[in-house]
Amino acid sequence: MRKTVIVGALAFVLGGGAVFIYLNHSAQSTAYATMHARHHGTSGAASQGMMHGHMHDESTMPGLQGKDTTETEVADLRRIFQQHMDIDRRVTNLANGISTLTVSENPEVRAAIVSHVSMMVTRLAEGRNPEVIIQSPTLDALFDHHDEIETEIEVTDTGVTVIQTSSNPEVVKLLQTHAAEVSDMSERGMAAVHERMSH
């Protein structure tokens, strides 16, 4: 069964989200600064051995929390990260944007992908940036331009297709950059996040 939804906002593409993918040390977020310090053992708590690897905990993944994220949103992201090896993703750069295909033969992973994309479409239509702790600065920039993006989503039995376009060349570049970030995450999972956060 196919269902097509046209929305004048950016889907996180798996987003993302995620969603979703890196913050560097120039990020201005206090939450990120704290998370980065804990990740790399520079905070007082970490240096005293109180964190015990908590921030790298692949089961709880505290970095998936955001400003107003729901339990469902966090659970979807957690499943996507933990089972990223079950995701197949293709990205085509267009002159005015991107076309992405994200699928999974694993029904639970597929459901998480579709749920995540659907929720992010709503957030972006409303301009509600979730500000997930490990979120890419590229996604923040796209939220700033959400009214300049046209998004077409097609949900199928195997996954989701997203076409995102803009008449603004800077936004097109952001779309393509973020799509590459999401592809990296879907291929390497949290390793991609940790690598980018360490730069």
Side-chain angles (χ1 to χ4, degrees):
M1 175 179 168
R2 292 173 175 251
K3 179 180 178 184
T4 301
V5 181
I6 306 295
V7 180
L10 164 70
F12 184 30
V13 190
L14 159 49
V19 113
F20 38 86
I21 302 306
Y22 72 90
L23 291 169
N24 57 34
H25 5 338
S26 65
Q28 298 176 359
S29 167
T30 301
Y32 169 72
T34 302
M35 176 63 71
H36 187 275
R38 289 175 177 170
H39 259 288
H40 299 283
T42 57
S43 70
S47 64
Q48 294 171 21
M50 295 172 64
M51 296 308 297
H52 301 293
H54 176 66
M55 292 305 161
H56 286 282
D57 188 337
E58 293 285 328
S59 61
T60 61
M61 295 186 174
L64 301 181
Q65 299 291 334
K67 179 174 65 175
D68 62 351
T69 48
T70 66
E71 290 182 12
T72 299
E73 287 175 300
V74 174
D76 288 339
L77 283 172
R78 184 181 300 115
R79 184 174 296 281
I80 288 167
F81 271 109
Q82 290 176 335
Q83 297 181 264
H84 66 91
M85 67 289 297
D86 291 340
I87 298 171
D88 290 314
R89 180 173 161 81
R90 284 182 290 179
V91 176
T92 302
N93 286 343
L94 310 173
N96 62 344
I98 55 167
S99 174
T100 67
L101 171 65
T102 308
V103 300
S104 179
E105 295 182 5
N106 182 321
E108 293 180 341
V109 174
R110 185 168 58 245
I113 291 168
V114 172
S115 173
H116 175 71
V117 171
S118 299
M119 285 191 231
M120 287 306 296
V121 166
T122 300
R123 280 187 170 277
L124 285 154
E126 298 172 353
R128 292 192 302 117
N129 186 341
E131 299 179 23
V132 172
I133 292 170
I134 63 170
Q135 181 171 300
S136 165
T138 309
L139 184 60
D140 289 324
L142 285 169
F143 264 98
D144 292 339
H145 295 279
H146 71 92
D147 56 345
E148 298 180 61
I149 300 165
E150 293 293 326
T151 301
E152 180 178 339
I153 302 170
E154 183 178 2
V155 178
T156 71
D157 289 339
T158 58
V160 61
T161 298
V162 179
I163 298 174
Q164 300 164 315
T165 59
S166 176
S167 60
N168 182 335
E170 293 183 10
V171 176
V172 171
K173 184 176 179 180
L174 288 169
L175 286 169
Q176 294 173 350
T177 298
H178 183 62
E181 292 170 351
V182 174
S183 293
D184 189 28
M185 178 281 302
S186 67
E187 183 177 342
R188 300 193 295 136
M190 272 293 175
V193 176
H194 293 157
E195 180 179 298
R196 290 187 173 105
M197 289 178 73
S198 69
H199 291 163

